[in-house]
Amino acid sequence: MVTPHLSYASGVSETPLLDETIGSQFDRTVAAFGERDALVDVPTERRWTYRELAEGVAAVALGLLESGVTKGDRVGIWSPNCAEWTLVQYATAKIGAILVNVNPSYRTHELEYVLNQAGVRTVVAMPTFKTSDYAAMLAQALPNCPTVKDVLLIGQDSWSELIETGFSSDRARLADIGAGLSPDDPINIQYTSGTTGFPKGATLSHHNILNNGFFVGELCHYTEEDRVCIPVPFYHCFGMVMGNLACTSHGGTMVIPGPSFDPKATLEAVAAERCTSLYGVPTMFIAELADPDFDSYDLSSLRTGIMAGSPCPINVMKQVIERMGMEEVSICYGMTETSPVSTQTRADDSLDRRVSTVGRVGPHLEVKVVDPVTGLTVPRGEAGELCTRGYSVMLGYWNQPEKTTEAIDAERWMHTGDLAVMDDEGYVSITGRIKDMVIRGGENIYPREIEEFLYTHPDILDAQVVGVPDAKYGEELMAWLRMKDGAEPLTTEAVHEFCRGKLAHYKIPRYVRTIDEFPMTVTGKIRKVELREIAVQQFGLGDAAPTPHG
């Protein structure tokens, strides 16, 4: 009997893993590309060469040392994107302190939890941004956070004094400290935004994130000539790993278009700084393409970029290639717990591969698709849960060994919770979250399939499909739609007519609503849980059968 080809793949590479710390790798880049642009903060009109950035990083690192921060201490950063964020990222790595990324959208209750759960010693924060008064929230939270010894507010005296102290300190200390650091040391804690309960702190090492940033950059063919526009948040792996570390490990330039995402500012930054690469989640690219002045921006410098964070609509991917000129744009897939990227499309992949899959396994990694019940690897072409193993898998959840064991099995496979299919050539397609799968009257329905179909409607800009409680079937489908400018909202009847004869009857959404903006996390992921909650309220479904996996 022939054993079926199983859904397992490993990433073969002639390029070895980097066996060094972030600090030592950064020093090598500075030595090689000292006079090239390293960092451009567009909104503040500041820019640094690699040599200048190294001096700034050293000043922050030495200032932290003088304030009492030592190897293993946790340093929290609570700020939107800015140059100081990057300085702190590399400064903490230089001295072996563990950077704790605090979500800029957090409020006092969540802030207290993270500061206490991680045992943060020092907090670096932007005083205010938009409607968030970080300084006031810190003042309110600190009496309940006994481990915090220092708060440094960017742009205020506490930050300036730290920099001044650092510049007057002996830089030789950093070399001595660096010699005592290991690539396997924990260097970063990132809190995953769980839909239930408190977030968990994914603990990542130099080895985890340096290599992931490097190999993502390798597959984008980065060199010192590349200039990467990074509108995605630094507090997330997308910004600080795929953005910053991919750049500094290749001598490229980090371009900050703004403190938070703004489509116009992003397009202006790409044009003004002649960026060769642009990052974003699908909703960001949708917003950029919809900008009324889109055709006025000179985007001819763009060659590549990364679209990730959530499933990428086919028509959006095609527009990114055709209208933005990003012919080598890459789809990346991963999660915070895997540093983050596990699979990636390559520049020479066909258009079909790049619009219908999340690519193949990355170098030095393994992926497999397993039956969620038995844990056995399924044959190619069958759906199951995607698992990842290799250098990128986190050390664990900070001080939560039980949660770590739930996510990483005894063989060190990280269970992603995502449903996937691997084809005969090893390309992976994400078909949804195990928790997003809708079970209607015993039929398993994957919202992604229906969303892709709805995108083909000429008036629909974006679509999200969720399961809502139903007394008869257990669950029913609901479609939330964003309409293109000038298009009239679609009625439920119109959507039914559009779907009829093209989708199986049980896949046609029973409920339809239009919405101006989807509720999103700060990383740009659409909060389907919130869409479900709104639907339950609007349609009075609270008394219906509970959603079994919502």
Side-chain angles (χ1 to χ4, degrees):
M1 179 178 175
V2 178
T3 302
H5 195 193
L6 296 178
S7 298
Y8 167 87
S10 60
V12 178
S13 176
E14 295 180 358
T15 304
L17 288 165
L18 300 176
D19 187 34
E20 57 189 336
T21 63
I22 290 169
S24 63
Q25 199 288 320
F26 179 70
D27 289 345
R28 286 199 297 111
T29 297
V30 172
F33 306 112
E35 302 313 313
R36 297 191 68 90
D37 283 351
L39 177 64
V40 180
D41 190 340
V42 174
T44 62
E45 300 182 342
R46 295 179 295 167
R47 59 183 65 229
W48 290 257
T49 64
Y50 267 101
R51 199 169 309 285
E52 291 166 342
L53 184 62
E55 291 173 359
V57 166
V60 175
L62 290 165
L64 289 171
L65 285 173
E66 293 290 346
S67 74
V69 174
T70 61
K71 176 185 175 182
D73 281 347
R74 273 75 69 203
V75 175
I77 182 158
W78 196 27
S79 166
N81 287 11
C82 60
E84 287 79 6
W85 210 112
T86 304
L87 290 170
V88 172
Q89 176 184 347
Y90 288 86
T92 50
K94 277 271 188 181
I95 62 175
I98 300 173
L99 184 69
V100 179
N101 303 3
V102 183
N103 188 325
S105 67
Y106 277 177
R107 291 297 178 260
T108 310
H109 180 63
E110 298 149 314
L111 173 68
E112 286 183 12
Y113 173 79
V114 166
L115 296 181
N116 287 322
Q117 206 278 327
V120 169
R121 183 202 183 280
T122 299
V123 179
V124 180
M126 187 70 76
T128 61
F129 178 65
K130 291 186 177 177
T131 60
S132 295
D133 189 335
Y134 296 125
M137 284 188 278
L138 275 164
Q140 184 179 345
L142 288 186
N144 301 317
C145 302
T147 63
V148 177
K149 306 300 181 191
D150 292 306
V151 172
L152 307 168
L153 296 177
I154 295 169
Q156 297 196 358
D157 289 347
S158 55
W159 177 256
S160 300
E161 290 165 5
L162 178 96
I163 299 292
E164 290 172 13
T165 300
F167 270 122
S168 61
S169 299
D170 182 8
R171 281 186 67 169
R173 290 181 66 192
L174 294 180
D176 293 340
I177 291 171
L181 302 180
S182 163
D184 295 320
D185 289 337
I187 200 64
N188 186 212
I189 299 175
Q190 299 199 27
Y191 281 85
T192 61
S193 51
T195 54
T196 57
F198 282 105
K200 303 181 290 291
T203 307
L204 304 167
S205 67
H206 295 268
H207 191 69
N208 287 149
I209 59 176
L210 175 59
N211 276 293
N212 205 261
F214 174 70
F215 280 103
V216 165
E218 286 287 283
L219 293 184
C220 289
H221 297 155
Y222 284 165
T223 70
E224 69 274 15
E225 301 291 336
D226 280 293
R227 302 171 68 82
V228 183
C229 184
I230 312 172
V232 294
F234 285 156
Y235 102 89
H236 186 267
C237 272
F238 202 168
M240 68 165 286
V241 178
M242 298 154 72
N244 290 350
L245 285 169
C247 285
T248 60
S249 59
H250 291 87
T253 306
M254 301 166 278
V255 177
I256 305 172
S260 63
F261 175 66
D262 176 84
K264 193 172 292 293
T266 301
L267 293 168
E268 288 173 351
V270 169
E273 293 297 329
R274 306 302 294 157
C275 292
T276 60
S277 178
L278 171 62
Y279 288 3
V281 298
T283 50
M284 291 181 176
F285 284 101
I286 289 169
E288 289 155 9
L289 290 161
D291 187 283
D293 299 321
F294 178 85
D295 291 330
S296 69
Y297 297 103
D298 179 2
L299 308 180
S300 60
S301 58
L302 284 174
R303 168 182 67 83
T304 187
I306 294 174
M307 196 190 295
S310 60
C312 305
I314 289 170
N315 67 329
V316 175
M317 183 65 160
K318 288 180 177 176
Q319 287 191 69
V320 165
I321 293 171
E322 294 167 6
R323 296 182 63 202
M324 303 182 87
M326 295 166 59
E327 293 185 358
E328 297 179 26
V329 66
S330 181
I331 292 281
C332 286
Y333 162 82
M335 59 193 305
T336 303
E337 290 89 337
T338 55
S339 303
V341 177
S342 297
T343 69
Q344 186 172 353
T345 59
R346 275 58 164 177
D348 59 353
D349 279 335
S350 68
L351 175 62
D352 181 62
R353 292 292 193 195
R354 287 189 284 158
V355 300
S356 61
T357 78
V358 291
R360 292 172 285 147
V361 64
H364 302 287
L365 294 172
E366 300 171 272
V367 295
K368 66 177 179 177
V369 180
V370 304
D371 183 308
V373 177
T374 67
L376 296 176
T377 306
V378 301
R380 297 277 175 116
E382 289 191 13
E385 182 183 17
L386 187 64
C387 299
T388 303
R389 182 166 69 179
Y391 76 82
S392 68
V393 175
M394 66 174 179
L395 301 178
Y397 293 118
W398 184 262
N399 283 345
Q400 290 185 294
E402 291 181 2
K403 295 291 185 184
T404 301
T405 303
E406 290 174 12
I408 303 173
D409 65 27
E411 289 73 42
R412 290 291 296 169
W413 285 101
M414 176 75 208
H415 289 252
T416 67
D418 284 320
L419 290 163
V421 175
M422 183 184 294
D423 71 13
D424 287 338
E425 283 75 46
Y427 287 85
V428 175
S429 298
I430 303 299
T431 57
R433 292 284 295 169
I434 289 176
K435 290 183 178 178
D436 283 346
M437 184 178 73
V438 177
I439 304 174
R440 180 192 182 275
E443 295 278 4
N444 291 353
I445 305 172
Y446 302 103
R448 172 81 188 279
E449 175 192 356
I450 302 162
E451 290 162 0
E452 289 288 2
F453 173 74
L454 292 173
Y455 281 125
T456 66
H457 192 288
D459 293 337
I460 293 175
L461 179 67
D462 204 352
Q464 296 295 317
V465 174
V466 298
V468 296
D470 183 76
K472 182 177 180 181
Y473 294 107
E475 283 187 282
E476 266 290 4
L477 293 173
M478 174 169 186
W480 287 94
L481 307 176
R482 285 180 63 209
M483 309 307 297
K484 291 181 179 176
D485 287 344
E488 290 294 321
L490 290 172
T491 63
T492 301
E493 291 74 21
V495 172
H496 286 180
E497 183 60 31
F498 181 69
C499 297
R500 198 169 290 123
K502 298 170 187 172
L503 290 178
H505 71 90
Y506 63 86
K507 295 180 183 177
I508 298 176
R510 176 176 175 183
Y511 304 99
V512 177
R513 280 287 187 274
T514 56
I515 192 170
D516 292 332
E517 297 290 339
F518 291 126
M520 289 191 289
T521 67
V522 75
T523 56
K525 291 185 179 181
I526 293 166
R527 284 184 48 79
K528 287 196 170 186
V529 169
E530 194 167 327
L531 290 175
R532 287 191 195 101
E533 291 170 353
I534 296 170
V536 168
Q537 292 174 355
Q538 286 193 2
F539 293 102
L541 303 175
D543 294 330
T547 302
H549 45 268

